[in-house]
Amino acid sequence: QQQVKQSPQSLIVQKGGISIINCAYENTAFDYFPWYQQFPGKGPALLIAIRPDVSEKKEGRFTISFNKSAKQFSLHIMDSQPGDSATYFCAAIQGGSEKLVFGKGTKLTVNP
Amino acid sequence: EPEVTQTPSHQVTQMGQEVILRCVPISNHLYFYWYRQILGQKVEFLVSFYNNEISEKSEIFDDQFSVERPDGSNFTLKIRSTKLEDSAMYFCASSEDRGETQYFGPGTRLLVL
């Protein structure tokens, strides 16, 4: 119930391509869904976040799509760049809780 | 831009020793957190802290762990008697309010030998 399932585990994309990472959850009490980007040896950095009252949020090249009925959300990275190469974590937090529940992460490699 | 800082960046200790990991959260934030990430695995919640007390903790956060805000700026995680399986990256985070964005520090890599 508390899990967030993330796929794929790793992803290789050519420069300029679209990177898509998917997450699914069971707990309908989750009400905040952030995506974090992590470079090796660094802490997770917030990339973009969404609440379930909207179906899409876009910030620059990064878009979250949210499907409440399917309990799924995804991160799209448009025009992927080598500098986007990192591990991406989806996460969720339940209303009234302070505990971020993370997915297992996706290692993205963008080839030049 | 304000950021969460952590010290030390690396800590090597012997099994059974006590370690204290230190964090300075973002100054106007009220909620503080510790997470850990075992190498190659996902980030796991340990504990949250608000108004000078633990507000939520996970099953990982047993009696070997404690947290403290000894002054107006620092937030610490103490592991009383370290085990080999405590080897991990420990991240401190802070947020303005419950349910709001949590900002993570760069982490302390703890190695227990």
Side-chain angles (χ1 to χ4, degrees), chain B residues 49-65:
Chain B
F49 191 85
Y50 170 72
N51 200 26
N52 280 319
E53 59 183 29
I54 290 173
S55 48
E56 193 170 350
K57 62 181 181 178
S58 72
E59 59 277 4
I60 302 169
F61 194 88
D62 60 22
D63 292 344
Q64 294 286 65
F65 292 90

Side-chain angles (χ1 to χ4, degrees), chain A residues 21-35:
Chain A
I21 304 170
N22 300 298
C23 286
Y25 63 97
E26 289 295 324
N27 185 356
T28 54
F30 285 147
D31 68 354
Y32 180 68
F33 301 87
W35 283 88

Side-chain angles (χ1 to χ4, degrees), chain A residues 3-4 32 36 38 41-46 49 51 89 93-105, chain B residues 31 33 35 37 41-45 48-49 55-56 59 89 91 98-107 109:
Chain A
Q3 282 187 328
V4 177
Y32 180 68
Y36 284 84
Q38 186 181 31
K42 303 293 185 185
L46 179 72
R51 294 197 184 271
F89 292 94
I93 194 166
Q94 179 173 323
S97 172
E98 293 132 32
K99 171 185 172 182
L100 265 175
V101 178
F102 282 84
K104 290 190 175 182
Chain B
Y31 286 80
Y33 314 86
Y35 290 80
Q37 185 178 31
Q41 298 187 24
K42 66 179 178 180
V43 179
E44 299 175 291
F45 172 82
S48 59
F49 191 85
S55 48
E56 193 170 350
E59 59 277 4
M89 193 77 154
F91 293 108
R98 172 187 284 174
E100 295 298 318
T101 299
Q102 295 182 22
Y103 294 89
F104 284 72
R109 183 170 295 285

Side-chain angles (χ1 to χ4, degrees), chain A residues 19-21 35 47-48 62-64 73-77 88:
Chain A
S19 305
I20 302 174
I21 304 170
W35 283 88
L47 195 61
I48 186 172
F62 302 93
T63 300
I64 300 179
F73 58 110
S74 59
L75 176 70
H76 292 63
I77 306 174
Y88 292 81

